């Protein structure tokens, strides 16, 4: 026999189904939240970018030269994540007039007292990182979280020198040397390129700043990896601005037209006449890790909501385990052990299932009891004729008078016929109840059939001083003539047997709607109330019908009930004062049962 695979436990099926549902809903909601957050971040950054660049649009015309000197120090107010901004000013001739820098400085010349700007754009990536780390280390010593180094606060420095190429009030730095009080030197910046035109400028005051000199939230200098990320974002912002200057559409770059006078009349002549001839463009671009910004905004929500979803899943699992799985497991154990199932659980359908199991167990128990009763009844019914047959057979083996031999043989034949009839009825009942009995359906005149069948017992009733009354209407039904005649004969035999001496058996036949109804009413003793339903069971005979001569074997009414059931009908019994009425209800048209 092929073994079937054991299915997955219901507990795990429910848990996986709930997990998929809960986490699916969570993922859907978080996806919607993510889309909304992305849109909000984009709008916020675009608005902030526009606000920053519009600062230059609102400058008065005489403010350009003053602002231009400090554009290399520009830092955007957009501080989300690792965001860095790059600013480029393009004059009316299309040349770059100024741009923001990673690092910058300011100094006061010791020889002239003039304030000069220090241009540190010649530093490579490594040089920018080293300068930022040096600024952080210096400020950490004095306990200050700044991104700017001030010479005046460094007590270890005696004086400073800047070596580079001088262009007006700007020094393009190649080296910055600090002369220490202990006689040593501190080489802060060293481009490493020699140039004969380089000038050494002694300074009394010095400030050095770096936009990548960051401090952590705990007050510690940022690690090099973090500074490298800021440097990469600044370089990417410069690339985005360069693309925008070339005319490409770039998302995170905005520009504004500002008053920007040119230095020569020739350049001014090249511009078209009108109010826009002295206006240049300010480009501002930002580069950032948008995913980090989004995570900062909704990362906590994602984690908390996931934990909440898992908590809900755990609660639902425990709840369903208590409400569904445990009752089902109890039901399984009860059915396996054959005990009564509990029908007071929290789930109606499980209660109904438990109730159905209880009914099935009760029905099975009744069937087993009925089967045992049937076996006992068959054994009991066969025991008496078997004893009679054995007794008379033993008598025939002895030397008995010839006149008695004939009587013994007659008794043996009667008991053999009785036993044969019992076995035949029992086999017939078994075939009918199994549903394998074929029916030969035809139109049958029930009036003629009942008159013929009950007429056979009129003489038997007369011997008891009784009478037969037939009140039969014309009724034709589709049924199996032989089976219906068998059922009617059993009813007639039962009525004649139990009719009281001098009583009457009345048979009525009539049509009621779509049914044919006939009743058999016989005078005689009432049937006990508890036996009215059981008289149709095989071999059932109450104390009122224990006599073999009057009670029979107890199969007649059982056959009647089974034959009528084959035809879609039924038979019931009821008492009346001084008698018993058996009522038969039979559908008029049984053509649909021809297939049987």
């Amino acid at each position: 026999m092929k073994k079937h695979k054991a299915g997955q436990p219901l507990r795990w099926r429910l848990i996986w189904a709930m997990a998929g549902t809960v986490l699916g809903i969570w993922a859907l909601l978080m996806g919607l939240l993510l889309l909304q957050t992305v849109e909000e971040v984009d709008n916020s950054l675009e608005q902030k970018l526009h606000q920053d660049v519009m600062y230059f649009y609102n400058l008065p015309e005489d403010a350009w030269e003053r602002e231009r000197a400090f554009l290399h120090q520009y830092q955007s107010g957009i501080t989300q994540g690792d965001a860095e901004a790059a600013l480029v000013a393009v004059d009316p001739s299309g040349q770059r007039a100024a741009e923001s820098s990673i690092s910058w400085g300011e100094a006061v010349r010791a020889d002239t007292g003039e304030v000069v700007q220090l241009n540190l754009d010649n530093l490579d990536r490594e040089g920018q990182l080293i300068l930022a780390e040096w600024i952080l280390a210096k400020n950490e010593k004095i306990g200050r979280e700044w991104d700017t180094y001030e010479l005046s606060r460094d007590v270890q420095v005696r004086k400073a020198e800047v070596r580079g190429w001088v262009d007006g009030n700007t020094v393009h730095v190649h080296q910055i040397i600090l002369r220490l009080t202990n006689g040593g030197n501190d080489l802060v910046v060293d481009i490493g390129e020699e140039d004969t035109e380089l000038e050494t400028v002694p300074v009394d005051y010095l400030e050095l700043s770096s936009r990548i000199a960051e401090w952590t939230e705990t007050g510690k200098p940022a690690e090099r990896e973090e500074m490298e990320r800021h440097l990469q974002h600044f370089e990417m912002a410069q690339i985005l601005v360069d693309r925008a200057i070339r005319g490409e559409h770039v998302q995170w770059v905005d520009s504004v037209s500002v008053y920007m006078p040119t230095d020569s009349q020739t350049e001014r002549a090249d511009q078209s006449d009108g109010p826009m001839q002295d206006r240049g463009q300010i480009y501002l671009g930002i580069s950032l890790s948008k995913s980090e910004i989004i995570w900062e905004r909704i990362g906590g929500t994602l984690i908390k909501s996931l934990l909440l979803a898992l908590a809900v899943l755990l609660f639902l699992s425990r709840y369903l385990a208590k409400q569904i799985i445990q009752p089902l497991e109890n039901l399984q154990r009860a059915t396996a052990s054959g005990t009564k199932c509990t029908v007071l659980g929290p789930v109606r359908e499980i209660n109904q299932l438990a109730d159905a199991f209880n009914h099935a167990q009760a029905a099975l128990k009744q069937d087993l009891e009925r089967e045992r009763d049937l076996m006992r009844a068959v054994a009991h019914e066969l025991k008496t004729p078997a004893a009679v047959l054995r007794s008379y057979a033993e008598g025939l083996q002895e030397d008995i008078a010839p006149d008695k031999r004939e009587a013994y043989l007659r008794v043996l034949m009667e008991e053999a016929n009785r036993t044969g009839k019992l076995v035949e009825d029992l086999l017939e009942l078994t075939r009918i109840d199994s549903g394998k009995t074929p029916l030969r359906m035809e139109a049958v005149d029930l009036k003629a059939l009942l008159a013929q069948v009950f007429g056979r017992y009129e003489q038997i009733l007369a011997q008891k001083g009784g009478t037969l009354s037939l009140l039969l209407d014309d009724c034709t039904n589709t049924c199996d003539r032989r089976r219906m005649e068998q059922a009617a004969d059993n009813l007639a035999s039962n009525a004649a047997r139990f009719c009281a001496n001098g009583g009457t058996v009345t048979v009525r036949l009539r049509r009621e709607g779509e049914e044919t109804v006939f009743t058999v009413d016989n005078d005689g003793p009432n049937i006990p109330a508890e036996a009215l339903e059981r008289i149709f069971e095989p071999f059932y005979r109450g104390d009122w019908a224990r006599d073999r001569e009057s009670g029979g074997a107890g199969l007649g009414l059982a056959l009647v009930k089974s034959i009528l059931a084959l035809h879609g009908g039924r038979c019931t019994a009821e008492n009346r004062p001084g008698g018993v009425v058996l009522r038969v209800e039979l559908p008029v048209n049984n053509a649909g049962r021809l297939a049987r």
Side-chain angles (χ1 to χ4, degrees):
M1 183 178 179
K2 184 178 179 180
K3 290 186 177 180
H4 294 281
K5 269 189 176 180
Q8 191 179 35
L10 177 62
R11 182 185 301 271
W12 287 109
R13 284 184 174 271
L14 288 177
I15 289 177
W16 287 121
M18 287 187 298
T21 302
V22 172
L23 295 180
I25 294 175
W26 173 82
L28 176 62
L29 294 177
M30 293 304 101
L32 294 175
L33 177 61
L34 179 61
L35 291 177
Q36 180 182 359
T37 304
V38 169
E39 184 177 0
E40 290 177 354
V41 168
D42 288 346
N43 293 336
S44 173
L45 291 175
E46 289 175 359
Q47 291 176 4
K48 184 61 179 175
L49 180 63
H50 187 67
Q51 289 175 1
D52 282 6
V53 79
M54 286 302 293
Y55 164 80
F56 299 98
Y57 180 79
N58 296 323
L59 289 177
E61 293 186 357
D62 60 351
W64 168 246
E65 290 298 331
R66 182 178 68 253
E67 292 292 333
R68 176 181 180 181
F70 296 98
L71 284 183
H72 64 283
Q73 303 179 15
Y74 176 80
Q75 296 189 65
S76 173
I78 302 174
T79 58
Q80 302 182 66
D82 294 334
E84 288 294 342
L87 182 143
V88 176
V90 179
D91 64 20
S93 66
Q95 302 297 318
R96 295 189 180 219
E99 57 184 308
S100 57
S101 303
I102 287 288
S103 305
W104 60 89
E106 189 176 82
V108 178
R109 298 184 62 137
D111 51 357
T112 63
E114 180 184 4
V115 177
V116 294
Q117 302 297 320
L118 303 181
N119 187 309
L120 299 170
D121 291 344
N122 290 328
L123 284 175
D124 58 11
R125 287 176 56 86
E126 184 64 21
Q128 297 285 2
L129 292 169
I130 292 175
L131 176 60
E133 290 175 334
W134 182 84
I135 293 174
L136 292 174
K138 285 292 186 178
N139 284 321
E140 186 179 22
K141 287 183 178 180
I142 60 176
R144 199 173 60 159
E145 298 179 19
W146 284 16
D147 59 0
T148 300
Y149 168 77
E150 293 183 358
L151 179 64
S152 59
R153 295 179 177 272
D154 193 347
V155 296
Q156 296 180 345
V157 178
R158 179 168 48 85
K159 64 178 182 177
E161 296 176 356
V162 177
R163 181 174 171 80
W165 175 65
V166 180
D167 180 16
N169 66 340
T170 301
V171 179
H172 298 271
V173 178
H174 278 239
Q175 287 183 337
I176 298 178
I177 304 172
L178 301 182
R179 306 298 182 181
L180 305 180
T181 56
N182 60 7
N185 296 325
D186 190 354
L187 186 62
V188 180
V189 176
D190 186 9
I191 302 299
E193 298 178 1
E194 292 296 332
D195 192 331
T196 57
E197 297 183 1
L198 296 181
E199 180 181 344
T200 300
V201 179
V203 296
D204 291 332
Y205 176 80
L206 175 66
E207 281 188 5
L208 295 175
S209 300
S210 174
R211 68 172 67 241
I212 63 174
E214 297 283 342
W215 295 83
T216 64
E217 294 181 356
T218 59
K220 298 294 183 179
E223 297 292 335
R224 173 175 275 247
E225 290 79 6
E226 184 175 350
M227 290 189 290
E228 286 179 344
R229 286 199 303 271
H230 280 272
L231 183 56
Q232 289 173 355
H233 281 302
F234 179 78
E235 293 172 344
M236 179 56 67
Q238 287 181 317
I239 294 173
L240 295 176
V241 170
D242 290 341
R243 289 171 54 191
I245 292 174
R246 291 196 299 268
E248 298 180 26
H249 175 73
V250 184
Q251 181 181 11
W252 300 116
V253 176
D254 201 353
S255 63
V256 65
S257 177
V258 297
Y259 175 78
M260 194 181 299
T262 55
D263 295 332
S264 66
Q265 294 297 324
T266 302
E267 292 175 344
R268 296 176 66 90
D270 291 337
Q271 306 297 322
S272 61
D273 295 336
M276 297 296 295
Q277 62 180 355
D278 291 332
R279 302 192 71 85
Q281 288 289 120
I282 296 290
Y283 292 89
L284 179 61
I286 58 171
S287 174
L288 45 79
S289 297
K290 192 162 67 172
S291 59
E292 294 183 4
I293 299 174
I294 294 173
W295 178 255
E296 288 180 2
R297 289 198 178 190
I298 65 172
T301 302
L302 290 175
I303 294 175
K304 292 176 183 177
S305 61
L306 178 58
L307 293 177
L308 179 61
L310 294 176
V312 170
L313 178 60
L314 178 61
F315 170 77
L316 289 177
S317 301
R318 293 176 62 87
Y319 177 79
L320 289 180
K322 182 177 180 181
Q323 298 292 317
I324 297 178
I325 298 175
Q326 289 181 0
L328 285 176
E329 291 175 346
N330 295 336
L331 179 61
Q332 186 270 334
R333 285 192 292 268
T335 53
S337 62
T339 58
K340 188 174 182 180
C341 304
T342 303
V343 295
L344 299 177
V347 181
R348 180 180 60 186
E349 287 76 7
I350 296 180
N351 293 339
Q352 293 173 345
L353 181 60
D355 191 48
F357 274 120
N358 288 337
H359 282 298
Q361 286 180 346
L364 179 60
K365 185 177 180 180
Q366 290 178 357
D367 289 342
L368 292 175
E369 287 292 336
R370 190 179 296 112
E371 185 176 342
R372 283 193 289 267
D373 291 343
L374 178 62
M375 295 302 296
R376 285 195 295 266
V378 170
H380 176 74
E381 290 296 330
L382 294 178
K383 179 181 179 181
T384 300
V388 172
L389 290 172
R390 181 183 181 86
S391 174
Y392 277 86
E394 289 175 350
L396 288 174
Q397 288 179 343
E398 297 176 357
D399 189 13
I400 62 173
D403 57 338
K404 290 185 178 181
R405 181 179 297 275
E406 187 68 27
Y408 275 36
L409 289 175
R410 186 171 59 254
V411 172
L412 286 174
M413 286 300 297
E414 290 176 355
E415 290 299 328
N417 290 336
R418 189 194 302 272
T419 303
K421 181 65 167 58
L422 173 64
V423 173
E424 181 181 349
D425 288 346
L426 186 59
L427 291 175
E428 184 73 9
L429 180 63
T430 303
R431 283 195 296 267
I432 293 174
D433 287 343
S434 67
K436 298 179 180 179
T437 302
L439 296 178
R440 293 187 176 90
M441 307 298 283
E442 59 182 303
V444 177
D445 184 352
L446 290 183
K447 179 179 179 180
L449 185 145
L450 292 179
Q452 178 186 358
V453 171
F454 277 87
R456 301 171 189 161
Y457 292 88
E458 189 171 8
Q459 184 62 34
I460 298 175
L461 288 172
Q463 293 175 1
K464 300 173 66 173
T467 59
L468 175 65
S469 175
L470 298 177
L471 305 175
L472 307 176
D473 294 343
D474 292 330
C475 293
T476 301
N477 270 54
T478 303
C479 57
D480 185 314
R481 176 184 291 276
R482 188 176 72 84
R483 297 294 180 190
M484 195 56 60
E485 184 177 350
Q486 182 182 9
D489 187 78
N490 286 345
L491 289 172
S493 173
N494 183 80
R497 185 181 303 115
F498 287 102
C499 182
N501 293 331
T504 301
V505 174
T506 303
V507 182
R508 293 180 175 86
L509 175 65
R510 62 186 181 276
R511 179 70 56 79
E512 293 183 1
E514 296 297 320
E515 289 185 330
T516 297
V517 177
F518 70 89
T519 59
V520 181
D521 185 338
N522 67 270
D523 296 333
N526 288 149
I527 299 175
E530 66 274 8
L532 281 176
E533 291 294 331
R534 299 197 61 191
I535 62 173
F536 297 99
E537 297 178 5
F539 296 111
Y540 178 76
R541 289 183 298 173
D543 294 336
W544 49 274
R546 286 296 181 187
D547 181 24
R548 283 178 55 83
E549 294 299 326
S550 62
L555 290 176
L557 292 182
L559 279 169
V560 170
K561 179 181 179 182
S562 296
I563 291 172
L564 292 175
L566 278 178
H567 289 78
R570 66 193 188 98
C571 184
T572 57
E574 60 182 8
N575 290 318
R576 65 166 178 81
V580 176
V581 179
L582 296 180
R583 177 184 173 92
V584 173
E585 298 173 357
L586 192 65
V588 174
N589 188 2
N590 278 292
R593 296 179 177 266
L594 284 171
R596 297 193 58 176

